[in-house]
Amino acid sequence: LAKTTQPISMDSYEGQEVNITCSHNNIATNDYITWYQQFPSQGPRFIIQGYKTKVTNEVASLFIPADRKSSTLSLPRVSLSDTAVYYCLVGDIQKAGGYNKLIFGAGTRLAVHP
Amino acid sequence: DTAVSQTPKYLVTQMGNDKSIKCEQNLGHDTMYWYKQDSKKFLKIMFSYNNKELIINETVPNRFSPKSPDKAHLNLHINSLELGDSAVYFCASSRDRVGTGELFFGEGSRLTVL
């Protein structure tokens, strides 16, 4: 199973762009990269998912280099409400039961300051 | 309507007691999970059920017994509670077909064992 490594914590200020990088050196060919966000006292919430290159949605962008050994979650112009823990996961979700292999690491605790 | 709902949200009990946490999802998903989040915020999968069949049991003590009466419900019963069982327990669900790797989490049940 692919293991992920992320910074334990990051600090930013309102209006800045935040980039959180995740390392997954032993990612498998069929693995996708998924990011979740967790606010205090809530369950994790899906943010974005990708396989290669760049993916963008209304919340974030995900940059994945050609070797796929890392990925970067980019949050544009963060606000105080983006203060949360962000988890990077890798796993093969393109087959039945693949979700069962998704493993959450320690995550990155992002603190956004005024 | 809440997609994945858990009850109770808070549970305080004494060591040695038996308690249950209930989970229901109204998303029509085939697979449900129980995760445990400890004080260090690590999220660890405990069990996974697919269409009422247990498919993952991550070396959880047999004091923990999941029960799935139907694919929309997954309950967690814990016997002889210990101090180390204090944690937040999250229920989640997913479509068990090829598709997006999105897990839908409940809001968590905080268990405190005294």
Side-chain angles (χ1 to χ4, degrees):
Chain A
L1 298 174
K3 180 182 175 183
T4 60
T5 304
Q6 309 172 228
I8 294 175
S9 63
M10 294 181 68
D11 289 274
S12 184
Y13 292 90
E14 284 190 290
Q16 289 188 337
E17 177 184 77
V18 171
N19 295 309
I20 307 174
T21 297
C22 178
S23 297
H24 28 79
N25 290 321
N26 60 340
I27 188 169
T29 302
N30 295 331
D31 284 347
Y32 277 67
I33 300 157
T34 311
W35 285 80
Y36 282 78
Q37 174 191 56
Q38 185 179 24
F39 296 115
S41 302
Q42 293 188 24
R45 186 178 67 125
F46 175 93
I47 303 176
I48 197 166
Q49 182 181 82
Y51 184 79
K52 61 180 179 180
T53 62
K54 177 183 174 182
V55 180
T56 297
N57 62 22
E58 64 277 6
V59 176
S61 295
L62 179 59
F63 298 92
I64 306 169
D67 66 6
R68 301 196 335 118
K69 292 185 184 298
S70 67
S71 59
T72 299
L73 174 71
S74 181
L75 305 172
R77 301 181 60 79
V78 294
S79 64
L80 295 176
S81 63
D82 291 316
T83 294
V85 178
Y86 292 83
Y87 295 95
C88 165
L89 294 79
V90 294
D92 184 355
I93 56 86
Q94 288 296 293
K95 65 179 182 182
Y99 309 144
N100 298 314
K101 302 296 190 291
L102 293 182
I103 296 176
F104 287 78
T108 297
R109 189 174 298 275
L110 172 66
V112 180
H113 305 281
Chain B
D1 276 348
T2 304
V4 180
S5 58
Q6 308 178 217
T7 54
K9 191 167 183 178
Y10 299 97
L11 189 53
V12 181
T13 188
Q14 300 286 332
M15 281 176 55
N17 285 348
D18 304 337
K19 291 294 178 185
S20 294
I21 307 172
K22 296 185 177 182
C23 180
E24 176 182 4
Q25 56 96 1
N26 61 6
L27 299 167
H29 288 167
D30 295 324
T31 306
M32 295 184 72
Y33 313 76
W34 278 109
Y35 280 83
K36 178 181 179 181
Q37 187 167 45
D38 59 26
S39 57
K40 294 184 178 180
K41 301 302 182 184
F42 284 96
L43 258 173
K44 298 180 182 177
I45 189 167
M46 299 173 67
F47 300 104
S48 176
Y49 268 75
N50 177 259
N51 282 320
K52 304 192 296 176
E53 179 185 351
L54 179 66
I55 53 176
I56 282 188
N57 180 342
E58 288 291 314
T59 60
V60 176
N62 58 15
R63 297 184 295 103
F64 290 78
S65 53
K67 290 217 170 23
S68 182
D70 56 61
K71 73 174 192 178
H73 296 83
L74 180 61
N75 304 322
L76 182 65
H77 188 75
I78 315 170
N79 289 326
S80 303
L81 279 158
E82 300 176 357
L83 293 177
D85 297 332
S86 294
V88 181
Y89 292 85
F90 287 98
C91 177
S93 71
S94 68
R95 288 185 302 163
D96 194 35
R97 294 187 295 273
V98 172
T100 61
E102 185 168 358
L103 292 167
F104 292 80
F105 283 84
E107 296 209 336
S109 297
R110 180 176 294 276
L111 172 64
T112 302
V113 182
L114 303 175

